[in-house]
C-alpha cells in the first residue's frame, strides 16, 4: 500500500542547490540532448513533509506552448513523498539515502551532499554561497510530467514562491556506475542556491 501523504497543494519550505548542464548528445528517449538542471533540495518544517531530494529535469515546451521542465529522474528519502509525487503528479520518485552537512563562516555557507542507493553513491556535490544575505524575490515555473503507471495521464504542475537566490559555486561528481553517469561528460553552465524558499507546488 502507498504511504500516506498530504493532499495538493504542497506548501514547502527549504533550500535548493542547482546547477545547469548542457548535454550535447542524446542518451536515450528520456534524456535527449538539451539543457538540464540537477538539484539537491532540503525540505524543512513547516513543510507538510520534511525530506531530502535529488532531481534531474530538462527544459521543454508544454502542450500549451509555454516553457516548462520535465523531471526525468528523482530520488527522495521519504516514502510518503515518493508515493505522493508519483500518484498526484506523475513524478517518478524513487528512494535513496542522503548525507548532508552545512557550515557558516560570516556570510558564507559551505554545503556538502552525498546521495546513494544501497550504499552506492549516485552523486557527491559541494557548494559555496552567500545566498542567506540576498533579498527575497518571487519565482514561478511550470512542470509537465508524462504519465507513469501510478498516474497514467500527463500531469501539469505549477510552482510559485519566493526565495533568497544568488549564484553560487557548485561542484558535482557523478558515479561512473550510477544512473546519472551520462552527465559526467556534460558541460556545466552555472549554479545557484535558493535559500529559505517558500514554494506552493500544485
Amino acid at each position: 500500500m502507498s504511504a500516506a501523504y498530504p493532499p495538493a497543494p504542497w506548501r514547502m519550505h527549504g533550500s535548493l542547490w542547482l546547477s545547469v548542464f548542457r548535454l550535447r548528445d542524446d542518451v536515450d528517449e528520456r534524456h535527449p540532448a538539451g539543457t538540464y538542471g540537477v538539484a539537491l533540495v532540503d525540505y524543512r518544517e513547516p513543510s507538510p513533509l520534511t525530506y531530502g531530494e535529488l532531481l534531474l529535469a530538462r527544459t521543454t515546451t508544454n502542450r500549451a506552448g509555454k516553457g516548462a521542465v520535465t523531471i526525468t529522474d528523482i530520488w527522495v528519502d521519504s516514502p510518503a513523498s515518493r508515493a505522493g509525487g508519483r500518484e498526484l503528479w506523475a513524478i517518478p520518485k524513487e528512494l535513496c539515502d542522503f548525507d548532508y552537512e552545512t557550515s557558516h563562516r560570516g556570510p558564507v555557507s559551505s554545503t556538502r551532499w552525498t546521495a546513494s542507493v544501497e550504499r552506492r553513491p549516485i552523486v557527491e556535490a559541494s557548494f559555496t554561497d552567500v545566498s542567506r544575505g540576498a533579498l527575497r524575490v518571487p519565482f514561478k515555473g511550470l512542470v509537465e510530467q508524462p504519465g507513469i503507471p501510478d498516474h497514467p495521464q500527463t500531469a501539469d504542475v505549477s510552482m510559485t514562491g519566493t526565495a533568497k537566490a544568488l549564484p553560487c559555486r557548485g561542484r558535482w561528481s557523478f558515479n561512473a556506475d550510477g544512473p546519472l553517469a551520462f552527465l559526467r561528460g556534460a558541460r556545466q553552465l552555472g549554479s545557484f542556491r535558493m535559500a529559505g524558499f517558500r514554494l506552493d507546488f500544485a
Side-chain angles (χ1 to χ4, degrees):
M1 295 179 64
S2 296
Y5 54 83
W10 288 6
R11 294 187 166 90
M12 309 300 287
H13 299 251
S15 288
L16 171 147
W17 295 258
L18 182 144
S19 295
V20 179
F21 288 83
R22 182 68 180 175
L23 189 62
R24 181 186 302 178
D25 301 314
D26 294 347
V27 175
D28 52 35
E29 185 176 351
R30 289 195 306 122
H31 305 101
T35 303
Y36 288 77
V38 188
L40 286 154
V41 192
D42 177 29
Y43 294 106
R44 297 194 169 189
E45 294 182 348
S47 302
L49 297 172
T50 57
Y51 58 95
E53 182 174 84
L54 165 66
L55 69 88
L56 176 67
R58 62 179 176 86
T59 59
T60 187
T61 302
N62 68 12
R63 292 171 294 174
K66 297 181 179 180
V69 299
T70 293
I71 299 169
T72 59
D73 305 83
I74 182 169
W75 295 265
V76 296
D77 59 0
S78 162
S81 174
R82 178 188 184 276
R86 298 179 74 91
E87 295 173 14
L88 292 173
W89 300 297
I91 297 174
K93 292 184 178 182
E94 299 293 351
L95 293 174
C96 79
D97 297 311
F98 294 99
D99 288 321
Y100 162 70
E101 61 180 2
T102 189
S103 60
H104 309 291
R105 178 174 293 182
V108 180
S109 298
S110 299
T111 307
R112 299 181 65 87
W113 284 85
T114 301
S116 57
V117 175
E118 297 179 348
R119 300 184 180 181
R120 298 181 62 184
I122 302 172
V123 300
E124 297 178 358
S126 61
F127 306 91
T128 304
D129 71 273
V130 294
S131 302
R132 291 184 305 149
L135 296 175
R136 183 170 293 277
V137 295
F139 67 87
K140 61 181 179 179
L142 299 173
V143 181
E144 183 176 87
Q145 290 299 123
I148 61 174
D150 293 318
H151 188 297
Q153 296 79 30
T154 297
D156 294 299
V157 187
S158 65
M159 301 180 292
T160 58
T162 64
K164 299 179 178 182
L166 283 176
C168 73
R169 293 181 179 178
R171 298 184 65 180
W172 295 78
S173 176
F174 301 99
N175 188 342
D177 297 323
L180 300 183
F182 59 88
L183 290 173
R184 290 166 62 89
R187 180 185 176 190
Q188 185 171 334
L189 303 179
S191 303
F192 72 92
R193 178 188 176 188
M194 297 171 64
F197 67 69
R198 303 164 189 165
L199 166 68
D200 284 1
F201 196 87

